[in-house]
Amino acid sequence: MPVGDGRFFMSAATKFYLLRVRSLRRETADTVSVAFDVPEALQYLFQFKPGQYLSLRTEIDGVDQRRSYSICSAPAEQELRVAVKKVAGGVFSTFVNERLQEGDELLVMPPQGRFTTDLSAANEHLYVAFAAGSGITPVISILKSVLLEEPKSRFLLFFGNRGFDHIIFRETLEALKNRYPDRLAVHHVLSRESVGADWFYGRLDADKCRAYARLLFRPEEVDAYFLCGPEDMIFDIQPALEALGADPKRVHFELFTTAGMPKRETTASAQKESFDASVTVIQDGTQFDFQLPSDGSTLLDAAMRAGADLPFSCKGGVCSTCKARVLEGEVAMDLNYGLEPDEVEAGYVLMCQSHPKSAKVVVSFDA
Ligand SMILES: Cc1cc2nc3c(=O)[nH]c(=O)nc-3n(C[C@H](O)[C@H](O)[C@H](O)COP(=O)(O)OP(=O)(O)OC[C@H]3O[C@@H](n4cnc5c(N)ncnc54)[C@H](O)[C@@H]3O)c2cc1C
Ligand code: FES
């Protein structure tokens, strides 16, 4: 069942598995959601936490392509479903929206990601989310899970879109509001249609966030924030929340793309030059040795060229699928949008962004 080309080990959780598309549902004119059949034998691997994502892989026009998509279902719904919004000129999202059919098979990696929170029926929490466009996908999974699993918790969603027709999961959100009127509030913020109130017209940004914190919630009562949308929205609202007193550890965000984003701190500054290094990669207790040439290759690319089959998806430093730990030597990352400061501190790196800074490097996917 697992698919790899047998060149090198991959642990069960970072292998791709061929899953059949059980159903396709058109959510808006440019978004389709995709549910997968998960065979009984793989159920344990595809358990997920709300807010996690899947890496999908398939050949499109003769080229092997991989992209990540957040799961939009809640674990309690017993369904594995992602939603894909078509990006203009986008290879994978256009393929899913226009060519994928029910009954087709895609390669799918088991769920990953830290854009989540631990839920408990005893919690009496207030969660506040800011989502825009397809950024609703992981947020609706968390929102549904909170409503289903924490009977005393409340959820407040600010959801930005161009207009009503672009709102993904609009009917689902309406139905949830009707079912949980005292626990769920949804405020739509539209950039091209007026709803008659200035605070709900335009883009979600720091000014609106501050206004909502005056009018609609009290920051000191919020247990966790979830932000998912374009990077300018995230990096505008995140500092605004922190200025309002939010503990940074309680402000979770998920980035879908990397263009123009401020990067998280890394242990070493990005350095393009690199040099010959002898590299050992460990996974599932197996060791793979190769020589990395001084051509500026990342550890991931050089290892793949040398015959390894390592986990990766975005290759942009965002998804963390390629996360490994440096056991020996030094490594510098070009970009890091995926690892938390404590992970960097503990020696984790993104292989797709890493270059050796010492003659010998040992990295492990097992540690
Ligand atoms: C952890 C994670 C979770 C994600 N979850 C979702 C999800 O639930 N739903 C979803 O639709 N997408 C999601 N994405 C984004 C998705 O992985 C792809 O990046 C997106 O579908 C574009 O891929 P593509 O092949 O169509 O475009 P590409 O062919 O890769 O890119 C084409 C052009 O579009 C630009 N572009 C790429 N992505 C975007 C974007 N999101 N918005 C605007 N321009 C873009 C590129 O810069 C490029 O110029 C997620 C990404 C990550 C890392
Ligand atoms: S492959 Fe996404 S961070 Fe490296």
Side-chain angles (χ1 to χ4, degrees), residues 53 65 67-71 82-94 134 137-138 254-257 259 314 318-319:
Y53 65 88
Q65 303 279 359
R67 299 289 186 278
S68 305
Y69 292 99
S70 303
I71 300 167
V82 296
V84 180
K85 180 170 177 172
K86 190 167 100 177
V87 166
V91 174
F92 211 107
S93 61
T94 303
S134 57
T137 309
E254 184 80 303
L255 291 168
F256 284 180
T257 52
C314 73
V318 177
C319 73

Side-chain angles (χ1 to χ4, degrees), residues 258-335:
T258 54
M261 294 184 302
K263 66 184 175 196
R264 285 183 181 161
E265 290 298 309
T266 57
T267 45
S269 60
Q271 298 190 25
K272 294 281 179 206
E273 84 277 9
S274 62
F275 49 90
D276 280 323
S278 140
V279 181
T280 299
V281 179
I282 298 166
Q283 193 179 39
D284 281 353
T286 317
Q287 187 170 315
F288 181 81
D289 300 306
F290 65 99
Q291 205 60 30
L292 190 143
S294 55
D295 61 358
S297 297
T298 62
L299 286 178
L300 179 72
D301 284 340
M304 301 285 282
R305 272 205 310 272
D309 190 8
L310 302 178
F312 73 90
S313 180
C314 73
K315 276 200 177 183
V318 177
C319 73
S320 307
T321 309
C322 64
K323 174 178 138 179
R325 192 173 195 173
V326 179
L327 299 185
E328 191 184 323
E330 267 185 73
V331 159
M333 283 189 279
D334 288 331
L335 302 170

